[in-house]
Amino acid sequence: MKKVLFTILACLFAGATVAQAEVTFGLSVGGGEYDASGKESYGSKQQRGETVSVPVASIFAEYTQNLDAVSISVGVDYIPYDIESETVENTRINGSTNTGSVDIEDHVTGYIHLSPAGSPVFLRVGYSHAEAMTTENITNLTSIAGQTVQDTYGNDDLVGMHYGIGYDHEVADGFFIRGLAQIHEYDDITVRSSSGNNAITASLDGHSVTLQVGKSF
């Protein structure tokens, strides 16, 4: 999916060169609340869910074409750092403590803005891709050939849909400030243990508010 998103970005600039249309670069800062939950398929089949607050900063680029009745923008937004989760600990009945965490890497979103011609209000829909990287230290209660074994879990793709509404305010000389409110819906991901004894399914959904500043050329 990353190839598709970066292809969109390449076409964006190619189109801007040919059509001499408006190109925008900018920065985003904001925060959101997300409902995160997970469950396992083995043993006690534990489930856990919580609401987490996450600050986010990103960079974006857009290509805008102004038509008679509508303005259409195609853009790419990239978070240039890893989003690290807290480490979860679980003390087992044998006295060992299992730990695990998930980091989100290379979060890239391709999106489209639509707004009536001359209106500062716009609607946004986006599709994102990221890597969910697991880090764990897990000792099984079961054993193989008399030895307890360490379980590891694989990584997975995290993809999501994003729906928002925003408001553009031009400051001067192509500079603008933009407010954006979004709903985020990510697909569930499932990772299986190396021993094959367990699988963990995680889900993530939420909403966010973002302030963007940028410059149009």
Side-chain angles (χ1 to χ4, degrees):
M1 185 57 204
K2 274 192 289 187
K3 274 189 175 181
V4 175
L5 293 176
F6 282 115
T7 299
I8 291 174
L9 182 60
C11 292
L12 181 157
F13 292 117
T17 301
V18 173
Q20 296 299 311
E22 189 174 80
V23 176
T24 298
F25 299 93
L27 302 174
S28 302
V29 291
E33 285 194 348
Y34 296 85
D35 294 322
S37 63
K39 60 182 179 179
E40 62 180 358
S41 64
Y42 177 76
S44 60
K45 298 185 179 180
Q46 296 184 78
Q47 298 186 44
R48 179 176 178 178
E50 62 180 284
T51 300
V52 294
S53 298
V54 181
V56 176
S58 64
I59 56 178
F60 66 92
E62 295 174 7
Y63 164 71
T64 301
Q65 182 66 57
N66 296 309
L67 305 178
D68 290 338
V70 66
S71 177
I72 302 174
S73 297
V74 179
V76 174
D77 183 278
Y78 177 65
I79 300 176
Y81 60 91
D82 299 343
I83 301 174
E84 300 178 353
S85 75
E86 295 183 0
T87 298
V88 176
E89 296 185 355
N90 180 21
T91 301
R92 309 304 295 272
I93 59 176
N94 66 349
S96 65
T97 299
N98 292 339
T99 63
S101 63
V102 179
D103 295 343
I104 307 301
E105 300 182 359
D106 293 331
H107 192 288
V108 185
T109 303
Y111 62 85
I112 295 175
H113 283 179
L114 293 175
S115 64
S119 173
V121 178
F122 63 87
L123 298 178
R124 169 172 167 161
V125 61
Y127 180 90
S128 67
H129 176 278
E131 301 286 346
M133 312 295 289
T134 64
T135 302
E136 62 282 320
N137 180 18
I138 299 175
T139 302
N140 284 330
L141 296 181
T142 56
S143 62
I144 298 177
Q147 300 290 324
T148 57
V149 295
Q150 295 289 123
D151 252 347
T152 58
Y153 286 81
N155 305 316
D156 202 357
D157 294 336
L158 179 66
V159 299
M161 293 298 299
H162 312 272
Y163 310 95
I165 185 170
Y167 186 92
D168 274 323
H169 175 66
E170 186 173 350
V171 180
D173 298 327
F175 287 95
F176 67 87
I177 299 174
R178 172 187 296 164
L180 175 65
Q182 294 187 94
I183 296 173
H184 309 280
E185 298 178 354
Y186 289 93
D187 291 349
D188 290 354
I189 61 173
T190 299
V191 291
R192 183 168 296 277
S193 65
S194 55
S195 65
N197 289 332
N198 195 24
I200 295 176
T201 299
S203 62
L204 181 67
D205 299 292
H207 59 273
S208 67
V209 176
T210 303
L211 178 67
Q212 298 182 315
V213 294
K215 176 77 165 70
S216 299
F217 299 89

